[in-house]
């Protein structure tokens, strides 16, 4: 009976995932966009990343401990960019993608325009939805986070990070777009580099920010579809329009 129950639960999860994917394809197939269903990563024991801890220490006037081996060998070592995991890994930019795929099982989708379908938006904060986007010869990391910036008031933050240097990131423009029930919300900006910190990008508000009521307005049965487009551009702007 235990075996049957476990198998039956797995089958139900698979049916639910296929149903969500079918709904997204039906909505966005006319635009010829690829759809990726992204399940949430939820942790009741949120462990801040080292870059977040360093930022907090700096704000309190406490300098982070000096790691001589990092400074001597390579000051550009990247800590793990996967939120909600207290992952001690660090490495060069060239191996960040393989670490995210092999260790944290982050999916990667290719195409100039894709649709990021985040499921289970009702889960309590903190919760993340993460995917890698391969486009124009580079890899980008899209992070959608549900977080309480103020106690009792969760918000959704969506940002795009280039797995590359800041100078490389300045060559691109990304667009996040929500479109439902004759309403459209668009955010366009220059991606940030993963050499910076996802936590600092969110705390600065340099990303698409949705309060709960606005997210519900664009969601469908607890799922939020975000259209993603990346272009090369030398002219950078950051705007939110509705």
């Amino acid at each position: 009976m235990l075996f049957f129950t476990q198998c039956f639960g797995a089958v139900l999860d698979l049916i639910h995932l296929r149903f969500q994917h079918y709904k997204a394809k039906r909505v966005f197939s006319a635009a010829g966009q690829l759809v990726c269903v992204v399940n949430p990563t939820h942790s009741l024991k949120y462990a801040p990343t080292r870059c977040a801890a360093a930022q907090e220490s700096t704000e309190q006037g406490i300098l982070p401990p000096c790691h001589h081996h990092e400074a001597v060998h390579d000051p550009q070592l990247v800590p793990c960019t996967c939120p909600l995991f207290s992952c001690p890994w660090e490495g060069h930019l060239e191996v960040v993608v393989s670490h995210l795929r092999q260790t944290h099982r982050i999916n990667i989708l290719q195409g100039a325009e894709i649709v990021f379908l985040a499921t289970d938006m009702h889960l309590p904060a903190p919760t993340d939805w993460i995917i890698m986007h391969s486009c124009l010869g580079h890899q980008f990391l899209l992070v959608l986070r549900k977080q309480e910036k103020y106690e009792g008031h969760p918000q959704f933050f969506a940002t795009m990070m280039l797995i590359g240097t800041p100078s490389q990131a300045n060559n691109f423009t990304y667009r996040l777009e929500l479109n439902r029930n004759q309403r459209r919300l668009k955010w366009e900006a220059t991606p940030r580099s993963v050499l910076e910190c996802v936590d600092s990008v969110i705390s600065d508000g340099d990303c698409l920010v949705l309060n709960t009521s606005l997210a519900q307005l664009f969601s469908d049965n607890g799922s939020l579809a975000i259209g993603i487009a990346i272009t090369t551009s030398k002219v950078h702007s950051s705007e939110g329009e509705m």
Side-chain angles (χ1 to χ4, degrees), residues 102-222:
Q102 296 174 9
T103 303
H104 299 298
R105 307 298 181 187
I106 304 299
N107 292 326
I108 186 168
L109 199 63
Q110 299 184 2
E113 296 187 8
I114 65 174
V115 174
F116 177 95
L117 185 65
T119 65
D120 300 323
M121 302 292 294
H122 62 278
L123 288 178
T127 304
D128 282 349
W129 294 259
I130 312 167
I131 192 177
M132 283 190 291
H133 183 188
S134 178
C135 179
L136 301 174
H138 289 77
Q139 282 73 41
F140 301 82
L141 187 70
L142 177 69
V143 177
L144 173 65
R145 174 176 296 178
K146 184 177 183 180
Q147 179 174 309
E148 288 189 358
K149 204 164 187 179
Y150 306 101
E151 186 176 357
H153 298 280
Q155 293 177 299
F156 293 89
F157 304 85
T159 186
M160 182 74 76
M161 311 285 288
L162 172 71
I163 303 179
T165 64
S167 60
Q168 290 175 324
N170 288 333
N171 296 323
F172 298 95
T173 298
Y174 75 93
R175 185 180 73 248
L176 304 179
E177 186 171 327
L178 290 82
N179 191 350
R180 185 172 183 268
N181 291 337
Q182 298 181 342
R183 297 177 178 88
R184 177 174 296 179
L185 179 66
K186 182 172 68 173
W187 167 268
E188 187 171 310
T190 301
R192 304 280 283 270
S193 167
V194 293
L195 292 176
E196 304 176 64
C197 186
V198 176
D199 296 329
S200 63
V201 174
I202 291 177
S203 63
D204 292 342
D206 187 17
C207 56
L208 175 63
V209 182
L210 305 172
N211 57 32
T212 304
S213 59
L214 193 58
Q216 290 176 349
L217 189 64
F218 285 96
S219 65
D220 181 18
N221 292 326

